[in-house]
Amino acid sequence: MPSFLHFYWPIAHKRKTSLKQLMWGMRRNPTGWSRHQLNAMHWLQRSALKSARAWRLKMALREVYAAARAHNSVDQAAADLRAWLSWARRCRLEPVKKLAPTLKERFEAVVRGMVDPRSNAFVEAMNGLLQQAKRAARGFRTSRNFIAIAYVRMSKLKHLPVSPFAPAAAK
């Protein structure tokens, strides 16, 4: 076996496993990586693959967002985002180059979103509960019944029976 192949053999031999670890490693936060993902990601960082450049850009954007939350300054967040956008426009990755003009077009709103700690997660959770109620009320005849099911689902009452046909739990 040639000497250069000796170095690459473990990676080439376990290519499917390594690529799977890379895929999941790139999606997770680096603090939650397993030992195998850590080794795979270190290999990725030393490689010249497009996925390595994309991952570095993603992590840099995460750092820009984290810094904006930490210092809570619109001016600093705008400067950091402009620097990242400059890097993204110069990179040779088409999806990232496509993202850069989109962020630039909505620059002020993106910066406001970076600094503002509010989220629409609560509204999205309520929407999910309403969608569940809508599916459950499909067999009912009127919108009044749907509204009643929505109120029951969204109120999260604990004393109600699981099924309307099941007896209530004794106290």
Side-chain angles (χ1 to χ4, degrees), residues 1 15-16 21 29 65 67 73 78 82 85 109 113 115 119 130 132 135 138 142 146 153 167 170:
M1 182 182 317
R15 187 165 176 82
K16 285 185 181 178
Q21 289 165 352
N29 192 1
Y65 267 81
S73 166
R82 277 192 197 95
L85 284 173
V115 176
S119 165
L130 276 174
Q132 285 179 348
R135 283 191 296 275
R138 189 168 284 156
T142 65
F146 166 67
R153 292 274 175 115

Side-chain angles (χ1 to χ4, degrees), residues 113-134:
M114 290 167 56
V115 176
D116 191 4
R118 292 179 293 175
S119 165
N120 70 337
F122 181 73
V123 175
E124 292 296 332
M126 298 273 285
N127 185 36
L129 290 173
L130 276 174
Q131 295 302 322
Q132 285 179 348
K134 185 170 81 171

Side-chain angles (χ1 to χ4, degrees), residues 16-62:
K16 285 185 181 178
T17 306
S18 181
L19 289 176
K20 192 178 288 187
Q21 289 165 352
L22 286 174
M23 178 183 70
W24 288 109
M26 285 192 284
R27 292 179 181 169
R28 292 180 66 188
N29 192 1
T31 57
W33 285 343
S34 68
R35 185 177 54 84
H36 295 294
Q37 287 171 339
L38 187 65
N39 291 337
M41 294 305 289
H42 282 200
W43 173 82
L44 177 69
Q45 290 171 9
R46 292 186 303 270
S47 72
L49 296 173
K50 288 181 180 180
S51 54
R53 283 185 281 149
W55 184 77
R56 284 193 292 269
L57 279 158
K58 180 195 94 158
M59 292 308 291
L61 185 59
R62 285 182 72 174

Side-chain angles (χ1 to χ4, degrees), residues 64-128:
V64 168
Y65 267 81
R69 291 281 166 100
H71 53 64
N72 203 21
S73 166
V74 173
D75 297 330
Q76 183 64 41
D80 292 346
L81 186 59
R82 277 192 197 95
W84 186 88
L85 284 173
S86 172
W87 183 22
R89 280 192 304 264
R90 287 177 291 147
C91 84
R92 294 180 307 242
L93 301 170
E94 287 305 318
V96 178
K97 286 173 78 171
K98 186 178 174 184
L99 173 67
T102 305
L103 289 178
K104 188 176 180 186
E105 181 181 308
R106 297 169 175 86
F107 188 80
E108 296 301 321
V110 171
V111 170
R112 263 195 326 272
M114 290 167 56
V115 176
D116 191 4
R118 292 179 293 175
S119 165
N120 70 337
F122 181 73
V123 175
E124 292 296 332
M126 298 273 285
N127 185 36

